């Protein structure tokens, strides 16, 4: 039994589809409300809440491999529940910022989860993706309203990754030998800036999408109101303010692991164009 947690998220949804298409199974998808989801035929929907690890016990029963996104709940308790349930292998989604800013806010928290998993006694595979293409959805309301997209660090180009590529690597790690005890840094196939992302969205919509660069201070004020000042600083540092060669580097890990090149941002924009219309 393979359990996909976060089964309705950007990665989890794609992962369940991939696992099902490749005949992996049996499969189980974790969600807070099973009555509101539609999984592929044969995928069992189970309810559980990461903030209450005890609620995961039914979902973990009989599970041997688990897909987990870090920092969605008390990770130490979640991993201990998995260990007690007899889970043998965990594929963990962490962050590439562990390589570049290991002591900075969310990156430090991700590193702590990796260390917890390493000490758990369970086999593990760690995925460290860069910035998600789906982060561009934060601009969706502005684009739909024909308003100007406003973002800092307009020309800083990071190798943004399609969430489906993370799912593809996770599927291989969960179902094929040779991936336990491995750490995979994952990126998209090319750097793309915030301005470049907006231009890609405009191209698939067939109309102009205005873009304006804003200061770090303005961006920080907006983000701090939602995430808090420390998290806002951390995100801004790794998306333009304190980037280094590791964050800018394009890796071919997706192709090496899956045999298929990573998807460009333009493909993500085309697949998600309706969100911006």
């Amino acid at each position: 039994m393979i359990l996909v947690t976060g089964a309705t998220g950007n990665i989890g949804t794609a992962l369940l589809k991939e696992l099902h298409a490749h005949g992996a199974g049996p499969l189980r998808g974790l969600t807070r409300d099973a009555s509101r989801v539609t999984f592929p035929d044969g995928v069992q929907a189970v309810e559980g809440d990461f903030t209450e690890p005890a609620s995961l016990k039914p979902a973990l029963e009989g599970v041997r491999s688990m897909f987990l996104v870090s920092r969605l709940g008390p990770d130490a308790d979640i991993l201990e529940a998995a260990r007690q349930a007899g889970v043998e292998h965990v594929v963990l989604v962490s962050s590439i910022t562990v390589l570049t800013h290991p002591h900075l806010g969310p990156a430090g928290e991700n590193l702590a989860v990796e260390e917890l998993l390493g000490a758990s006694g369970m086999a593990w595979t760690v995925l460290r993706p860069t910035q998600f293409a789906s982060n561009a959805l934060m601009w969706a309301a502005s684009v739909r309203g024909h308003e100007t997209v406003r973002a800092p660090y307009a020309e800083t180009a990071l190798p943004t990754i399609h969430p489906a590529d993370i799912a593809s690597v996770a599927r291989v790690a969960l179902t094929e030998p040779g991936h336990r005890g491995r750490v995979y840094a994952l990126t998209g196939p090319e750097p793309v800036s915030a301005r470049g992302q907006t231009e890609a969205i405009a191209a698939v919509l067939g109309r102009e999408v205005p873009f304006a660069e804003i200061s770090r201070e303005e961006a920080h004020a907006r983000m701090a109101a939602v995430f808090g000042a420390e998290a806002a600083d951390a995100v801004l540092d790794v998306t333009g303010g304190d980037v280094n060669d590791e964050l800018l580097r394009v890796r071919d890990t997706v192709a090496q692991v899956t045999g298929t090149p990573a998807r460009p941002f333009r493909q993500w924009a085309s697949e998600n164009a309706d969100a911006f219309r």
Side-chain angles (χ1 to χ4, degrees):
M1 174 73 71
I2 297 173
L3 173 65
V4 174
T5 67
T8 59
N10 290 322
I11 307 172
T13 298
L15 176 56
L16 274 179
K17 289 179 180 177
E18 278 221 17
L19 288 166
H20 184 263
H22 283 81
L27 301 174
R28 188 177 286 169
L30 181 70
T31 177
R32 287 188 177 183
D33 186 352
S35 67
R36 301 178 64 180
V37 301
T38 302
F39 291 148
D41 290 342
V43 177
Q44 179 187 3
V46 291
E47 294 184 350
D49 187 340
F50 273 138
T51 63
E52 299 179 10
S55 72
L56 303 178
K57 186 174 180 179
L60 289 165
E61 185 175 352
V63 170
R64 291 296 173 263
S65 296
M66 179 172 76
F67 171 78
L68 177 67
V69 178
S70 68
R71 301 172 51 239
L72 295 181
D75 291 288
D77 295 337
I78 293 167
L79 291 172
E80 177 59 18
R83 187 193 66 79
Q84 291 186 7
V87 173
E88 297 172 358
H89 179 213
V90 176
V91 174
L92 175 73
V93 177
S94 180
S95 170
I96 206 166
T97 57
V98 168
L99 290 173
T100 61
H101 298 75
H103 305 296
L104 179 65
E109 295 171 14
N110 279 315
L111 181 58
V113 180
E114 291 186 19
E115 292 171 346
L116 283 171
L117 177 56
S120 70
M122 295 180 287
W124 52 267
T125 307
V126 172
L127 312 183
R128 292 174 174 171
T130 186
Q131 182 185 67
F132 289 13
S134 52
N135 289 357
L137 289 170
M138 72 178 75
W139 304 327
S142 295
V143 177
R144 288 195 304 270
H146 291 253
E147 300 170 357
T148 299
V149 170
R150 302 180 184 277
Y153 308 121
E155 310 304 335
T156 300
L158 301 174
T160 301
I161 190 167
H162 194 310
D165 283 326
I166 306 171
S168 294
V169 174
R171 189 266 306 169
V172 173
L174 286 164
T175 60
E176 298 182 10
H179 302 284
R180 298 189 179 195
R182 302 292 299 273
V183 177
Y184 293 122
L186 306 176
T187 76
E190 60 190 5
V192 57
S193 65
R195 190 186 303 278
Q197 291 180 39
T198 307
E199 291 170 351
I201 293 166
V204 301
L205 294 179
R207 65 174 174 84
E208 182 181 358
V209 175
F211 180 91
E213 183 173 15
I214 60 175
S215 68
R216 180 188 176 104
E217 290 71 27
E218 184 178 348
H220 185 276
R222 294 182 178 192
M223 295 174 66
V226 179
F227 305 113
E230 183 179 0
D233 274 326
V235 171
L236 288 167
D237 279 345
V238 300
T239 55
D242 188 25
V243 295
N244 56 34
D245 289 344
E246 286 294 330
L247 277 176
L248 297 172
R249 177 182 164 196
V250 174
R251 295 168 168 83
D252 64 354
T253 318
V254 172
Q256 288 183 6
V257 174
T258 69
T260 302
R263 302 162 173 90
F265 180 85
R266 174 70 177 266
Q267 181 173 339
W268 178 88
S270 179
E271 293 168 356
N272 293 273
D274 285 348
F276 297 94
R277 289 196 170 99

